[in-house]
Amino acid sequence: MKADAPDHPPIADIGPLIVTARAEVDSRRRGDYLPRSLVGRSRPVSGGHTMRSWLRWPGRGPAPPSAPPAPPLPDPGHRIYAVGDVHGRHDLLEMLLWTLKQDAAAQEDERLPILVFLGDLIDRGDHSRKVLDQVMDAWLSWPRTVCLRGNHEDALLGFLDAPETGRSWLGFGGKQTLGSYGVPAPSSQASASELFGTALALSGALGHHGDFLRRSELLFRSGDVVFSHAGLDRSVP
């Protein structure tokens, strides 16, 4: 019965490509990386030892590594100034906004300056009300301003809509925000009616700030760059 033809050239045709078993061992001792795409077949040689040939067969094995992908870039017509968590620190925000405005005015290109607030403007610090005033002033004075919703703004709105369910907001910065609007914080064991009264008082004190927060966006995209307060779930459209 005739044996199947080998799937590689005979040894005689590939002599220059063969590497002995000793070369393989020595290379491993040195810690060299030997790509799997170069591994051929083991063949018996004199003395009962095995010689492994390291071959690069034409058309076989993985392609050479390609260059890393280019990093995502914003729209070439945009100059983005992204501002992270402020948390009621109007003093720091005041200095930052002044610096950003000076930088935007000094640029000589025609890119549109866009100020992006990444959320968590409120809570923890004592001056959430002043922070929201500053953000709304920036909304009017900058060519374009984007205000994204953070988990703290979302928690405040959740408290307004369902005070008893959203009472946990009071424990991670909500009391400071209440204070900045002159609304007394409820007791730690507040009843449903007391929480409802607090939410009602806060809603009235917020005024146009409340409407501003409800209009906040979840995402902003410029070119290939997406801005959001937290990580994105690719499974959600």
Side-chain angles (χ1 to χ4, degrees):
M1 185 173 180
K2 190 174 183 181
D4 294 334
D7 59 355
H8 53 77
I11 295 287
D13 297 335
I14 56 173
L17 299 177
I18 296 177
V19 180
T20 64
R22 178 176 295 276
E24 176 186 353
V25 172
D26 291 343
S27 181
R28 288 184 176 177
R29 286 174 178 169
R30 293 195 307 271
D32 294 347
Y33 171 68
L34 298 174
R36 290 183 177 272
S37 61
L38 299 184
V39 178
R41 295 189 171 193
S42 298
R43 296 181 176 82
V45 294
S46 61
H49 298 288
T50 300
M51 178 174 64
R52 182 177 296 277
S53 58
W54 299 85
L55 313 173
R56 183 180 296 279
W57 300 104
R60 299 178 63 176
S66 57
L73 297 174
D75 187 305
H78 293 168
R79 177 180 294 278
I80 306 292
Y81 296 92
V83 179
D85 300 19
V86 178
H87 281 308
R89 290 297 305 270
H90 82 100
D91 53 337
L92 299 180
L93 181 60
E94 184 176 24
M95 291 187 291
L96 177 62
L97 290 177
W98 184 88
T99 301
L100 296 184
K101 184 167 284 190
Q102 296 300 309
D103 183 85
Q107 306 305 319
E108 298 181 355
D109 55 41
E110 297 183 355
R111 287 184 288 174
L112 176 69
I114 303 178
L115 183 61
V116 181
F117 291 100
L118 298 173
D120 279 6
L121 300 170
I122 63 170
D123 295 350
R124 295 182 178 165
D126 293 328
H127 301 287
S128 292
R129 184 173 191 165
K130 288 185 178 180
V131 166
L132 290 180
D133 280 336
Q134 290 170 309
V135 172
M136 294 190 71
D137 288 343
W139 188 281
L140 297 174
S141 61
W142 277 70
R144 184 176 178 185
T145 301
V146 176
C147 186
L148 301 181
R149 183 179 303 183
N151 58 300
H152 283 260
E153 287 83 22
D154 195 59
L156 181 151
L157 296 174
F159 176 76
L160 293 178
D161 295 338
E164 192 168 13
T165 305
R167 69 189 302 161
S168 61
W169 168 67
L170 300 169
F172 58 90
K175 290 182 179 179
Q176 290 88 334
T177 296
L178 289 175
S180 74
Y181 285 93
V183 177
S187 62
S188 58
Q189 302 297 324
S191 63
S193 60
E194 185 181 356
L195 292 171
F196 180 80
T198 300
L200 191 62
L202 178 59
S203 181
L206 282 170
H208 59 286
H209 286 175
D211 295 332
F212 180 78
L213 291 177
R214 290 192 184 277
R215 293 198 304 269
S216 58
E217 305 173 52
L218 299 180
L219 298 173
F220 170 67
R221 179 170 181 171
S222 173
D224 297 325
V225 180
V226 175
F227 298 84
S228 70
H229 178 71
L232 300 179
D233 187 348
R234 295 176 179 268
S235 66
V236 178

